[in-house]
Amino acid sequence: MQQGKSLEGRIRDKAAELGFAACGFARADAAPLAGRRLHEWLAEGQHGDMIWMAERAHHRESPRGLWPEVRSVISLGMSYSPANDPLALADVPDRARISVYAQGADYHDVMKKALKALGRWLAQEAGCDLKVFVDTAPVMEKPLAEAAGLGWQGKHTNLVSRYHGSWLFLGAIYTTLELEPDGRSGGGCGSCDACQTACPTDAFPAPYRLDARRCISYLTIELKGPIPEEFREGIGNRIYGCDDCLAVCPWNKFAAAAAANLSFAPRAELTAPELRDLLALDDAGFRQVFSGSPIKRIGRDRMMRNCLIAAGNSGDAALLAAVEALRDDPDPVVAEAADWARARLTSRGSP
């Protein structure tokens, strides 16, 4: 034990040692408005097909709704600040755009391993009970991170940090310890509306409000059926997620790529893949290419749907043969997307 250093200070040191770029503390009841806002959002249906959001809303609305014994929350962030411009492929239609967060190792695996290591250390150090969470549990990571001083929820609804911009993966440890809470970080978005105006599908009905049903990340990742035609052109060449609202945030100028966890360094084959190559993937090929990536969870069929939308938007007649080959795909959603892509390409003067 380090002499003279508080438990909170030792936790921060251990968190940094394990690869976390941000660490803060909040009481379990520190985000009282989060539950009400969640229920309002759900009542408006803006969660789309993410039924799990509504099914476990009673657990998600507050830490004690999930675990009554929790007294403090340790909020943690890992930086994935990109070294390159996330918008660089916007005008390269034969290449597929993959969200920055999915170009490296699966953050679920990296974060969970580090959170468990920190949890084991803390349980031994302080003799407490605790639970660790990263994204897959009904936890309001962003309001809790704001309460713990890691940043604030920006107008794009994601966390914004003074030091890491919009590029933080968030995790949480619930504990029975009574930890000294941090104050909120201050800062804010002011009159800036860069994220709002950057959205290609108008997914923000108002600042600090996201309609997931219009969000490209939702449409390409969460939605299992056909992508509504009204959004297809706006998707452009994005095949997994979207970085636009994050990438234009002015606070990113303070986010140093050197602070990014090395586990999230982009894999060369995922930084600018050719649509032609992706459209040729069968299920085995998909699994091989996206092994160890968060992309693997959407499966081959959803990926083909997304790639076909991108192909239809490309105007590239050279992709027509690959599109034609998918018109008889066993998955009806893929086949429909192939028909749409073919119609788009042929209407632009392709043979």
Side-chain angles (χ1 to χ4, degrees):
M1 182 181 296
Q2 295 168 273
Q3 293 297 320
K5 200 157 199 177
S6 67
L7 177 59
E8 292 81 5
R10 300 199 304 277
I11 293 172
R12 291 186 212 276
D13 290 347
K14 188 65 178 179
E17 177 186 318
L18 291 168
F20 292 103
C23 176
F25 309 99
R27 291 195 170 91
D29 58 358
L33 299 179
R36 188 187 76 189
R37 291 169 178 162
L38 171 64
H39 286 288
E40 290 173 352
W41 185 69
L42 292 170
E44 293 169 2
Q46 294 185 359
H47 58 303
D49 287 349
M50 295 185 289
I51 305 303
W52 41 270
M53 294 288 292
E55 289 177 340
R56 300 199 67 184
H58 60 295
H59 288 147
R60 191 179 299 273
E61 62 187 5
S62 73
R64 286 178 180 150
L66 181 60
W67 187 34
E69 290 77 17
V70 61
R71 293 294 175 265
S72 300
V73 176
I74 306 171
S75 287
L76 297 132
M78 276 189 180
S79 171
Y80 66 104
S81 179
N84 301 315
D85 179 8
L87 306 180
L89 295 179
D91 297 318
V92 189
D94 65 327
R95 299 284 175 154
R97 293 171 67 185
I98 293 174
S99 184
V100 168
Y101 87 86
Q103 292 179 20
D106 191 333
Y107 73 95
H108 298 91
D109 299 335
V110 176
M111 290 277 285
K112 181 60 73 73
K113 182 179 179 180
L115 286 166
K116 284 184 174 180
L118 181 57
R120 287 192 297 269
W121 173 87
L122 182 58
Q124 185 174 24
E125 188 84 356
C128 61
D129 291 331
L130 54 84
K131 297 181 184 293
V132 304
F133 304 104
V134 53
D135 193 29
T136 53
V139 173
M140 301 276 273
E141 291 98 343
K142 289 180 283 188
L144 291 170
E146 181 174 13
L150 269 60
W152 64 92
Q153 279 191 262
K155 291 181 181 178
H156 52 27
T157 75
N158 287 285
L159 195 81
V160 181
S161 163
R162 286 180 176 272
Y163 311 105
H164 306 288
S166 291
W167 308 113
L168 278 180
F169 290 128
L170 298 176
I173 296 178
Y174 288 5
T175 175
T176 53
L177 291 170
E178 295 279 0
L179 296 170
E180 183 66 28
D182 290 304
R184 293 176 181 259
S185 69
C189 299
S191 61
C192 178
D193 65 352
C195 61
Q196 311 287 283
T197 58
C199 181
T201 50
D202 296 321
F204 300 105
Y208 310 103
R209 300 283 290 181
L210 172 69
D211 187 341
R213 298 167 297 184
R214 303 183 65 90
C215 175
I216 292 175
S217 287
Y218 166 81
L219 293 168
T220 57
I221 299 172
E222 302 295 345
L223 182 66
K224 296 179 180 178
I227 293 174
E229 289 202 26
E230 65 180 298
F231 304 124
R232 294 184 182 186
E233 186 172 349
I235 285 173
N237 58 342
R238 302 169 186 83
I239 65 161
Y240 190 90
C242 179
D243 291 316
D244 291 34
C245 68
L246 303 178
V248 299
C249 178
W251 286 95
N252 289 338
K253 65 186 177 184
F254 300 110
N261 191 297
L262 294 178
S263 297
F264 307 129
R267 289 161 48 180
E269 67 271 25
L270 300 185
T271 54
E274 292 192 35
L275 281 171
R276 184 199 304 270
D277 293 340
L278 294 175
L279 287 167
L281 293 176
D282 58 12
D283 187 65
F286 169 84
R287 292 174 181 274
Q288 181 179 3
V289 171
F290 297 108
S291 175
S293 162
I295 298 172
K296 66 183 181 298
R297 78 182 185 93
I298 69 170
R300 176 262 178 191
D301 294 343
R302 239 181 289 180
M303 174 57 73
M304 285 304 105
R305 176 202 64 183
N306 297 344
C307 290
L308 286 162
I309 300 302
N313 288 328
S314 71
D316 185 358
L319 295 175
L320 192 57
V323 169
E324 288 277 9
L326 292 166
R327 294 181 67 203
D328 294 324
D329 193 88
D331 185 279
V333 174
V334 173
E336 185 277 330
D339 285 341
W340 179 87
R342 181 187 184 278
R344 290 268 293 186
L345 290 173
T346 55
S347 71
R348 296 183 181 188
S350 300

